Amino acid sequence: MMSNIKYLDLYYAAYGSNMNLEEMKKRCPDAKHEGTGTIEGYELLFCGEAGRAYLNVRPNSAKKVNVCLFKISENDLKSLDEYEEYPKLYGRSKCDVFMDDGSIKQAFFYEMDTKYDVMRPTESYYKRCEQGYIDNDIDTLYLKQALEKSTK
């Protein structure tokens, strides 16, 4: 049986709450989980405003960010854009994802507008992100470091 779902050429690299597989399935029901990897030259930070801080990545040549890669449909992209408040809160950037299986895939990710400062997230948002790391069997070290930076 052929599917009518049209998938995009690029993959989506999730690094925050969209790594949480249960949430991602609700948000983007057509998404296909392609595995995990890293994007290089970025660091993970919580940014935003008081009471509204989310995971973000900022350029840092000495760092890397763990991601979960999804192949998505056009409907999924619309849903993600709405969830990420694109283009108001987050923009889209392209990257190479160095997959854990040794391959390299081109993808896009959401990058928060630079006007937002490092800020502490709510406990519930942090827990949703942490579950995504657990879902994908990724060490939570970088997530914990991002939280530590948000308290300073």
Side-chain angles (χ1 to χ4, degrees), residues 1-32:
M1 183 177 193
M2 295 288 288
S3 171
N4 290 338
I5 298 168
K6 183 175 178 185
Y7 286 93
L8 304 175
D9 292 335
L10 292 178
Y11 292 92
Y12 165 56
Y15 57 81
S17 62
N18 288 331
M19 289 174 70
N20 182 313
L21 298 181
E22 184 178 320
E23 285 197 15
M24 187 63 175
K25 188 171 185 168
K26 289 177 189 170
R27 203 168 290 131
C28 300
D30 300 333
K32 294 181 181 178

Side-chain angles (χ1 to χ4, degrees), residues 12-16 19 38-48 54-60 63-67 84 89-95 108-116 118 125 133 142 146 149:
Y12 165 56
Y15 57 81
M19 289 174 70
T38 58
I39 56 175
E40 297 182 356
Y42 288 90
E43 75 175 311
L44 195 63
L45 298 166
F46 288 95
C47 298
Y54 305 107
L55 272 176
N56 185 32
V57 292
R58 292 241 170 106
N60 182 329
K63 303 283 184 174
K64 65 182 179 178
V65 174
N66 293 334
V67 297
E84 302 293 347
L89 181 61
Y90 285 91
R92 286 194 218 127
S93 298
K94 290 182 183 179
C95 65
F108 79 91
F109 63 95
Y110 289 95
E111 192 170 4
M112 193 180 287
D113 189 301
T114 56
K115 71 181 178 185
Y116 294 99
V118 173
Y125 177 75
Y133 277 71
Y142 294 113
K149 289 177 189 168

Side-chain angles (χ1 to χ4, degrees), residues 66-84:
N66 293 334
V67 297
C68 181
L69 198 71
F70 293 95
K71 190 169 187 179
I72 62 171
S73 70
E74 288 184 10
N75 287 338
D76 291 335
L77 179 61
K78 289 176 189 171
S79 177
L80 285 171
D81 281 352
E82 185 176 313
Y83 178 72
E84 302 293 347

